[in-house]
Amino acid sequence: MKYTKKVEDMCCVKKGVNHGPAPIPEEGKWVKASEIKDISGLTHGIGWCAPQQGACKLTLNIKDGIIQEALVETIGCSGMTHSAAMAGEILVGKTILEALNTDLVCDAINTAMRELFLQIVYGRSQSAFSEGGLDVGAGLEDLGKGHRSQVGTVYSTLSKGPRYLELTDGYILEQGLDKDNEIIGYKYVNLGKMMDNIKSGMDPMEAIKKATATYGRFDEAVKTIDPREE
């Protein structure tokens, strides 16, 4: 360690109070984190690219500073979707500091990693007060049955009104309208359930039928429309 002549000529004054870092909540414990290996927790975060053309939701499950599980969900950019495939391979096995300083291919994924890093090192994780944290696999369970991201896609114009294309329930087949042409429900197919049915050997048309349901007062509709065609 090199010191300037000014510092070398100073007399020594003993350092007094040294309580270390403030404790942060981690998996049901209060931890004084001084090294990366002291960090554990599961958390989610959102990132966006510089031109704000797309977004990434990143979920990480960290144990002793190491990323054990990663869920990368992207929307709005085809390049970002392919970047997510690479990021999924890159992230696991790295410390959170390594991941923060690794090019995760896409600006949105890098930004999400930055936001998660800030959350996790300050103790603001979803598992902060869960004793023992969450098992590796909890991120996958977040997707629910069929293992599909929850996506909402709605298109609307002033002259023709809204068109529901996809909601949490699934792919929208029909919108139900009342006598005033207001939406009162919709028919949808849950694509995750449909594909599970097909993979189990069910006929595709039967699989679609089994995965189709309605929401709201669809059965009372005076008129139904295909939101992609009408």
Side-chain angles (χ1 to χ4, degrees), residues 160-208:
K160 300 298 182 179
R163 298 296 188 277
Y164 297 172
L165 303 178
E166 187 155 354
L167 299 176
T168 301
D169 299 308
Y171 180 97
I172 306 302
L173 298 170
E174 295 179 77
Q175 287 181 194
L177 309 180
D178 65 11
K179 59 182 178 59
D180 298 316
N181 280 338
E182 291 186 6
I183 301 169
I184 58 172
Y186 51 81
K187 179 187 288 186
Y188 64 90
V189 57
N190 186 304
L191 297 180
K193 292 180 180 179
M194 180 192 78
M195 289 306 301
D196 285 345
N197 291 338
I198 292 174
K199 287 189 294 182
S200 70
M202 189 179 293
D203 175 78
M205 293 309 296
E206 180 65 17
I208 293 174

Side-chain angles (χ1 to χ4, degrees), residues 155-163 181 230:
Y155 178 74
S156 183
T157 60
L158 179 61
S159 61
K160 300 298 182 179
R163 298 296 188 277
N181 280 338
E230 297 174 77

Side-chain angles (χ1 to χ4, degrees), residues 51-177:
Q52 299 186 13
Q53 293 175 334
C56 166
K57 179 189 175 188
L58 182 61
T59 303
L60 298 179
N61 198 351
I62 299 156
K63 303 291 185 183
D64 302 321
I66 306 292
I67 297 171
Q68 300 291 337
E69 178 183 21
L71 172 63
V72 188
E73 301 173 86
T74 61
I75 189 170
C77 172
S78 58
M80 185 190 303
T81 303
H82 290 292
S83 297
M86 298 180 70
E89 294 190 41
I90 293 169
L91 282 164
V92 290
K94 288 188 178 293
T95 69
I96 56 172
L97 184 59
E98 287 177 313
L100 180 68
N101 290 289
T102 298
D103 183 4
L104 300 174
V105 189
C106 167
D107 279 351
I109 305 173
N110 285 320
T111 302
M113 183 63 227
R114 180 194 71 196
E115 297 302 307
L116 261 67
F117 183 88
L118 292 174
Q119 288 181 32
I120 203 77
V121 297
Y122 284 127
R124 293 170 174 84
S125 68
Q126 276 65 44
S127 59
F129 299 102
S130 301
E131 187 174 353
L134 298 177
D135 294 342
V136 175
L140 190 62
E141 291 175 359
D142 192 50
L143 291 177
K145 190 168 184 179
H147 294 159
R148 283 179 53 84
S149 297
Q150 297 185 51
V151 177
T153 307
V154 177
Y155 178 74
S156 183
T157 60
L158 179 61
S159 61
K160 300 298 182 179
R163 298 296 188 277
Y164 297 172
L165 303 178
E166 187 155 354
L167 299 176
T168 301
D169 299 308
Y171 180 97
I172 306 302
L173 298 170
E174 295 179 77
Q175 287 181 194
L177 309 180

Side-chain angles (χ1 to χ4, degrees), residues 20-41:
I24 59 174
E26 287 189 18
E27 301 190 337
K29 298 181 294 184
W30 288 97
V31 177
K32 287 189 174 184
S34 57
E35 299 180 36
I36 289 299
K37 66 181 178 62
D38 297 327
I39 302 296
S40 295

